[in-house]
């Protein structure tokens, strides 16, 4: 809370501001249910994030006991989600606190609840993708940086573009490859994503397998490209071009690994611009790191 006041002086007003210390609160934390999705949507809209109600449904379907809500003064003050991938590692996402309740310990309480839930499930490693605001909180709870990611955004005019009709593809070959590259099986999640946006699934065939693949989601603000996986620059370029033809949106989001050899140069060529940094972090031994060198872009900070 900021206390501000003005005093009258000979040449007008002087304005003073003092940042008052925030009083910590002990929130009531409970499991989130489908009835809480509108409250989750409200918080993610305040934060300017891209998730939809379908994404909250996914969190609750894949982790019915592992999504949490913080209540303060009879109001929803924050959220946290978890997903366990094959008991190899788990993901924490959607750590969101209402700006009116920030800096009072609610983010920390939600994170501690999510970590305690995953430890009770004996998950050996917990991962997440941190915003700069979240990173401070995660470091204090023992999360370590693994690598850097950047959100890039394309703004374009699709005014006269006609929808490209393509036969929908079976994601099967991509799912087998994805387990090796992500480090754990996330078939159900990727099938759910391909099911809601089949037109945004792109495959790059090579011999009897794949040189790469890309999935996409339609968010509330933009189409989101990811995961975008490629064995070489040719496949990476082709997948990006195909995706941009298939999407009908004026705005595209993508979260690229900064140490990928091609991704940022390809995005630059297509008119994307840097938006904000993210840091992939883990807590516990990172035994299944996957193959990040083949990852141009992640699925999204909320899912990994
Ligand atoms: C990041 C966020 C969840 C933090 O929630 P919060 O309730 O304000 O965090 P807390 O009050 O529990 O603070 C936890 C710790 O982080 C520190 N911290 C939190 N925000 C901070 C800030 N802006 N600057 C410096 N330190 C900060 C606090 O001092 C506290 O440390 P302490 O426990 O050692 O005192 C909240 O700012 C938010 O919703 N941001 C927008 C969405 C977002 O970026 N989420 C993170 C996704 S990875």
């Amino acid at each position: 809370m900021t206390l501000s006041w003005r005093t009258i002086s000979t040449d007008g007003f002087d304005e003073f501001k003092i940042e008052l210390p925030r009083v910590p609160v002990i929130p009531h934390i409970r499991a989130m249910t489908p009835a809480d999705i509108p409250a989750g949507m409200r918080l993610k809209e305040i934060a300017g994030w891209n998730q939809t109600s379908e994404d909250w449904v996914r969190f609750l379907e894949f982790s019915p006991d592992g999504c949490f809500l913080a209540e303060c003064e009879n109001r929803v003050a924050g959220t946290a989600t978890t997903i366990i991938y094959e008991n190899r590692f788990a993901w924490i996402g959607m750590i969101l606190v209402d700006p009116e309740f920030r800096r009072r310990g609610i983010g920390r309480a939600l994170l501690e609840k999510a970590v305690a839930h995953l430890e009770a499930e004996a998950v050996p490693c917990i991962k997440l993708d941190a915003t700069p605001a979240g990173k401070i909180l995660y470091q204090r709870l023992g999360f370590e940086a693994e690598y850097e990611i950047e959100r890039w955004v394309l703004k374009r005019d699709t005014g006269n573009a006609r929808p490209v009709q393509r036969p929908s593809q079976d994601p099967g070959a991509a799912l087998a490859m994805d387990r090796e590259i992500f480090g754990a099986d996330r078939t159900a999640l990727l099938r759910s994503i391909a099911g809601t946006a089949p037109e945004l699934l792109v495959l790059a065939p090579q011999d009897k397998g794949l040189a790469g693949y890309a999935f996409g989601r339609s968010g509330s603000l933009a189409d989101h490209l990811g995961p975008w996986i490629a064995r070489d620059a040719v496949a990476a370029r082709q997948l990006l071009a195909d995706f941009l033809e298939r999407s009908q949106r004026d705005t595209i989001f993508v979260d690229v690994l900064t140490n990928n050899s091609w991704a940022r140069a390809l995005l630059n060529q297509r008119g994307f611009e840097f938006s904000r940094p993210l840091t992939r972090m883990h807590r516990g031994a990172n035994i299944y790191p996957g193959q990040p060198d083949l990852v141009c872009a992640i699925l999204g900070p909320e899912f990994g």
Side-chain angles (χ1 to χ4, degrees), residues 95 97 102-108 131 136-138 140:
I95 301 267
V97 174
R102 283 184 193 164
R103 307 296 309 269
R104 298 175 71 182
I106 295 173
R108 188 187 179 100
T131 60
I136 306 165
L137 171 60
Y138 305 133
R140 291 191 177 161

Side-chain angles (χ1 to χ4, degrees), residues 2-16:
T2 307
L3 186 64
S4 57
W5 72 93
R6 284 169 155 196
T7 57
I8 300 169
S9 62
T10 47
D11 52 353
F13 291 104
D14 287 325
E15 189 151 344
F16 298 89

Side-chain angles (χ1 to χ4, degrees), residues 1 6 31 70 111 137 139-141 147 156 185 200 214 218 225 249 294:
M1 189 197 297
R6 284 169 155 196
L111 183 62
L137 171 60
Q139 279 168 333
R140 291 191 177 161
L141 275 132
Y147 50 76
R156 61 178 178 172
D185 182 73
L200 297 180
S218 199
L225 162 61
R249 301 285 287 277
L294 302 189

